[in-house]
């Protein structure tokens, strides 16, 4: 082939690719019309542990379950409480009773009708002492639960309970499939049956969970035919899958968001959404540990950790400093609590007060024991692993030896957190929309599968938590939560590290996404892919 022909061929290929790209750009810019079809594939570092929501506390389980089940109420996009399985409710004048009027056109995925008896079963099984759940606290305050008729349910409390209405947003379970069996041994833990917008199809361990749209959903069939969560225990691999169309949506790490997605091809294929997340990350201490029992030691570690260094170096600016269990745009947030600016002199002074002296090797010692501990982090979460590395470096500079142990998620929860088999841990909590944090911080919540796994006990906090949840006056509640934050800042049972920005990438063929105070997923059933932009046929095989 002559040189001239080669040049012409190259030009033709270039022109073809350019035209093709412009066509794709134009294709994804077209909002089209809502219609049924396609599949959305998401990625999760952790595998769900249990698909009966009251038996699990991990985010992967709750994400999948949120598509399968409904509560009586839910939040709308502006965080107002609206009906879900309940069409309406009445609150008595003394604020002690809520009477729910249930929707009559709701069926379980096996075709059985949903009734008030399902609500009664859910209530009873949550408060059953044999049920290993972290969510019983709200329901143990119910003095009387009563089925008025098949579609009317009433809960009566002994005294006003501020989060009472929203507590009934918990997933309602099918009585006809569970009430005569041990819920912990039920097949529904892996093959759930709900009333929700998606129906469970399969769970391949270590690989994926697949759901299909509920054609008879009482709020209308979702536009997207299938939802798949792929288990990919490494964020770098997940990012490669995103770019190669193995998944359609993921939460980006700071590095991916800031430096690895800022190029034309990615922008042509994906939309990015950024907002301050309802979550925080912390270094938690096992308060039964001989060194961590001492408040001064915990304060010293907080002084020795440079949070801004973590935000700048690990998060690349994609987060803000955390000082407690709430975020700055919440009415319950108290920004005037004790702060722990990076200060190694204050850290060492506190450690000396606590009886620590440096040994010949530069490591702090007390009563013949060197100050060393292991911090646990979960596999695949590079941000937390990098945080642990910076914390390890900073603490080594004041004579504390830290070892980092990275553990696969299921083992992390089942073998270490649930059994309190750890010294320190880096983890995160979702921040509740209602500021009731009783389940995490009350001293009574240290049982099996409960959330106060660090064994925090403070009598004043216990009393304030109880007062706050039984007070309906917002300003009065605010005073209680402000004081709780002051105590937590002083006690430092956690070193509160940061509140991250959520950076979510979604393939541009998905339309109807409405970012709102409630996040992105509040209207997922309204997301759609125009017919000409769909990627997956309903019966097409999907590569793992």
């Amino acid at each position: 082939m002559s040189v001239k022909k080669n040049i012409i061929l190259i030009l033709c290929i270039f022109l073809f690719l350019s035209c093709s790209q412009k066509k794709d750009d134009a294709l994804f810019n077209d909002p089209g019309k809502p219609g049924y079809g396609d599949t959305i594939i998401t990625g999760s570092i952790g595998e769900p542990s249990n698909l009966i929501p009251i038996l699990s506390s991990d985010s992967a389980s709750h994400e999948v379950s949120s598509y399968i089940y409904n509560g009586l109420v839910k939040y709308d996009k502006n965080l107002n409480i609206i009906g879900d399985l309940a069409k309406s409710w009445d609150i008595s004048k003394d604020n002690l009773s809520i009477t729910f009027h249930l929707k009559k056109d709701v069926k379980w995925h096996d075709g059985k009708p949903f009734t008030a008896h399902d609500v009664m079963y859910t209530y009873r099984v949550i408060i059953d002492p044999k049920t290993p759940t972290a969510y019983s606290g709200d329901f143990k305050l119910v003095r009387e639960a009563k089925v008025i008729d098949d579609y009317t349910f009433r809960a009566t409390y002994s005294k006003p309970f501020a989060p009472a209405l929203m507590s009934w947003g918990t997933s309602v379970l099918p009585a006809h499939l569970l009430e005569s069996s041990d819920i912990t041994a039920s097949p529904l833990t892996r093959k759930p049956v709900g009333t929700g917008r998606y129906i469970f199809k399969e769970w391949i361990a270590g690989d994926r969970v697949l759901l299909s749209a509920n054609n008879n959903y009482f709020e209308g069939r979702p536009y997207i035919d299938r939802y798949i969560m792929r288990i990919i225990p490494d964020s770098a691999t997940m990012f490669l899958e995103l770019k190669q169309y193995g998944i359609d949506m993921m939460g980006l790490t700071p590095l991916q968001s800031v430096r690895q997605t800022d190029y034309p091809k990615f922008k042509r294929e994906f939309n990015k959404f950024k907002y301050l997340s309802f979550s925080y990350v912390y270094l938690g201490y096992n308060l039964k540990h001989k060194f961590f029992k001492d408040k001064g030691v915990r304060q010293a570690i907080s002084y020795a950790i440079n949070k801004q260094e973590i935000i700048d170096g690990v998060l690349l600016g994609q987060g803000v400093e955390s000082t407690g269990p709430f975020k700055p745009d919440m009415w319950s947030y108290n920004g005037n609590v004790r702060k722990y600016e990076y200060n190694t002199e204050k850290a060492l002074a506190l450690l000396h007060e606590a009886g620590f002296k440096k040994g010949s090797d530069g490591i702090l010692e007390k009563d013949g024991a060197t100050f060393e501990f292991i911090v646990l982090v979960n596999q695949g979460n590079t941000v937390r692993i990098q945080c642990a590395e910076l914390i390890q470096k900073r603490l080594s500079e004041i004579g504390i030896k830290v070892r980092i142990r990275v553990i696969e998620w299921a083992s992390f929860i089942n073998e270490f957190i649930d059994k309190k088999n750890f010294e320190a841990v880096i983890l995160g909590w979702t921040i509740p929309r209602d500021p009731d944090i009783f389940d995490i911080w009350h001293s009574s919540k240290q049982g099996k599968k409960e959330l106060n796994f660090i064994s925090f006990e403070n009598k004043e906090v216990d009393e304030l938590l109880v007062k706050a949840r039984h007070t309906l006056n917002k300003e009065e509640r605010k005073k209680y939560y402000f004081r709780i934050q002051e105590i937590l800042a002083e006690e430092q049972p956690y070193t509160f590290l940061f509140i991250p920005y959520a950076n979510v990438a979604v393939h541009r063929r998905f339309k109807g996404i409405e970012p709102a105070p409630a996040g992105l997923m509040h209207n997922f059933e309204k997301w759609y892919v125009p017919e000409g932009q769909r990627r997956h046929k309903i019966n097409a095989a999907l590569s793992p």
Side-chain angles (χ1 to χ4, degrees):
M1 188 180 290
S2 68
V3 173
K4 186 177 179 181
K5 285 183 177 178
N6 273 332
I7 291 173
I8 291 172
L9 178 60
I10 290 169
L11 284 172
C12 286
I13 291 172
F14 176 77
L15 286 170
F16 172 77
L17 291 174
S18 297
C19 292
S20 225
Q21 192 58 67
K22 286 178 182 175
K23 184 181 175 184
D24 283 348
D25 289 353
L27 185 67
F28 295 137
N29 286 337
D30 180 4
K33 294 180 180 178
Y36 302 109
D38 215 332
T39 296
I40 188 164
I41 306 175
T42 68
S44 174
I45 287 175
E47 180 161 9
S49 61
N50 192 316
L51 294 181
I52 293 180
I54 65 168
L55 301 182
S56 64
S57 57
D58 59 288
S59 59
S61 298
H62 282 270
E63 181 177 339
V64 173
S65 297
S66 71
Y67 297 100
I68 298 172
Y69 297 96
N70 298 89
L72 296 186
V73 295
K74 63 182 179 182
Y75 285 113
D76 70 5
K77 66 179 183 180
N78 292 315
L79 301 178
N80 301 306
I81 300 175
I82 60 173
D84 195 0
L85 291 172
K87 66 178 179 181
S88 63
W89 55 87
D90 304 314
I91 298 177
S92 62
K93 289 182 180 177
D94 59 6
N95 291 312
L96 294 180
S97 295
I98 308 173
T99 302
F100 292 99
H101 306 285
L102 309 182
K103 294 176 180 175
K104 295 181 179 179
D105 55 348
V106 180
K107 292 188 183 301
W108 293 98
H109 294 159
D110 62 2
K112 300 292 184 184
F114 157 76
T115 71
H117 300 283
D118 297 304
V119 185
M120 178 59 88
Y121 166 75
T122 303
Y123 160 71
R124 284 178 173 160
V125 76
I126 288 180
I127 63 168
D128 187 336
K130 296 193 295 292
T131 303
T133 178
Y135 311 106
S136 63
D138 290 356
F139 299 94
K140 286 179 178 175
L141 298 174
V142 175
R143 188 184 72 207
E144 182 186 48
K146 189 173 183 180
V147 173
I148 307 299
D149 59 40
D150 281 354
Y151 296 100
T152 311
F153 176 83
R154 178 177 298 150
T156 302
Y157 298 79
S158 298
K159 49 186 176 181
F161 177 45
L165 179 58
M166 197 56 222
S167 72
W168 293 96
T170 198
S171 299
V172 178
L173 302 171
H176 66 286
L177 297 174
L178 288 167
E179 65 183 347
S180 59
S181 62
D182 173 4
I183 190 172
T184 63
S186 169
L188 271 64
T189 58
R190 292 190 67 86
K191 296 180 179 179
V193 175
T195 51
R197 49 197 168 170
Y198 283 85
I199 298 172
F200 174 84
K201 287 297 177 185
E202 67 174 356
W203 177 355
I204 302 174
D207 183 11
R208 74 178 70 160
V209 178
L210 190 154
L211 314 178
S212 68
N214 181 358
N215 293 339
N216 300 310
Y217 187 49
F218 60 89
E219 290 193 341
R221 174 186 165 184
Y223 287 125
I224 306 297
D225 274 338
R226 295 194 298 187
Y227 165 91
I228 295 175
M229 173 189 278
R230 287 187 55 197
I231 316 303
I232 306 173
D234 175 77
S235 61
T237 305
M238 194 184 297
F239 188 50
L240 286 175
E241 290 282 355
L242 182 76
K243 292 189 292 184
Q244 295 172 1
Y245 315 126
I247 61 175
D248 298 305
M249 175 179 175
M250 69 173 283
L252 300 171
T253 67
L255 181 65
Q256 292 161 355
S257 176
V258 174
R259 295 181 182 165
Q260 298 178 345
T261 54
D262 191 21
Y263 58 94
K265 184 175 187 305
F266 191 89
K267 292 177 179 177
R268 284 195 297 267
E269 294 278 348
F270 296 94
N271 286 317
K272 289 198 295 183
F273 302 91
K274 176 182 175 179
Y275 52 94
L276 194 62
S277 70
F278 274 90
S279 66
Y280 64 89
V281 173
Y282 61 89
L283 172 66
Y285 307 102
N286 186 333
L287 301 180
K288 301 293 186 186
H289 186 279
K290 59 182 177 181
F291 293 154
F292 297 141
K293 287 178 180 176
D294 188 332
K295 177 178 71 177
V297 171
R298 304 192 298 269
Q299 292 174 334
I301 292 176
S302 292
Y303 275 124
I305 293 172
N306 189 336
K307 293 183 189 178
Q308 195 58 48
E309 175 184 55
I310 291 173
I311 291 169
D312 293 340
V314 177
L315 298 186
L316 304 176
Q318 301 300 295
V320 298
E321 185 177 326
S322 171
T323 57
F326 302 126
K327 62 176 191 166
D329 56 358
M330 296 176 70
W331 60 263
S332 52
Y333 173 77
N334 182 358
N336 295 313
V337 299
R338 179 172 176 174
K339 306 290 197 312
Y340 294 83
E341 75 283 3
Y342 175 57
N343 190 320
T344 55
E345 289 183 2
K346 285 185 179 178
L348 282 169
L350 284 165
L351 290 168
H352 290 155
E353 274 182 31
F356 287 92
K357 305 291 181 188
K358 281 200 175 178
S360 57
D361 58 356
I363 304 298
L364 290 166
E365 298 177 351
K366 181 181 178 182
D367 300 330
T370 57
F371 196 164
E372 57 182 314
F373 66 91
I374 297 173
V375 60
L376 303 183
V377 288
N378 60 293
Q379 186 183 57
N381 194 318
T382 53
V383 167
R384 292 181 191 171
I385 293 171
Q386 290 171 356
C387 281
E389 291 169 349
L390 278 181
I391 290 170
Q392 180 186 47
K393 177 175 180 290
R394 289 300 177 193
L395 295 189
S396 72
E397 291 170 355
I398 61 168
I400 298 175
K401 188 174 181 180
V402 177
R403 284 187 289 151
I404 300 168
R405 188 171 176 190
V406 181
I407 300 170
E408 182 273 329
W409 180 250
S411 297
F412 185 88
I413 295 298
N414 297 326
E415 300 300 322
F416 295 91
I417 299 300
D418 287 349
K419 296 179 179 177
K420 302 183 181 181
N421 179 24
F422 66 93
E423 294 174 319
V425 61
I426 295 181
L427 262 176
W429 282 126
T430 298
I431 300 172
R433 273 56 169 178
D434 183 279
D436 182 36
I437 47 177
F438 182 93
D439 286 337
I440 294 175
W441 295 107
H442 197 273
S443 61
S444 67
K445 307 303 289 182
Q446 299 180 48
K448 186 178 180 182
K449 288 285 184 185
E450 293 194 307
L451 306 183
N452 184 3
F453 55 82
I454 63 167
S455 306
F456 177 71
E457 295 181 7
N458 181 291
K459 188 177 178 183
E460 186 180 358
V461 169
D462 282 354
E463 291 172 354
L464 290 165
L465 286 168
V466 172
K467 285 180 179 176
R469 62 186 351 213
H470 291 301
T471 301
L472 299 183
N473 183 289
K474 187 175 176 180
E475 288 305 311
E476 196 173 341
R477 287 188 84 195
K478 187 175 177 179
K479 290 178 186 173
Y480 297 140
Y481 288 121
F482 269 40
R483 177 62 186 145
I484 289 170
Q485 288 166 84
E486 290 171 355
I487 296 170
L488 293 178
E490 181 67 24
E491 290 288 327
Q492 291 292 290
Y494 297 165
T495 293
F496 295 92
L497 295 173
F498 59 83
I499 302 167
Y501 282 107
N503 285 292
V504 182
V506 185
H507 194 272
R508 287 186 61 210
R509 73 183 192 279
F510 292 96
K511 319 295 185 189
I513 302 172
E514 295 181 11
L520 291 184
M521 307 305 291
H522 62 89
N523 71 331
F524 180 70
E525 61 274 17
K526 301 298 183 187
W527 292 19
Y528 66 95
V529 180
E531 185 171 4
Q533 300 176 39
R534 291 176 196 156
R535 177 170 293 164
H536 301 288
K537 302 294 183 187
I538 184 64
N539 294 318
L542 295 164
S543 60

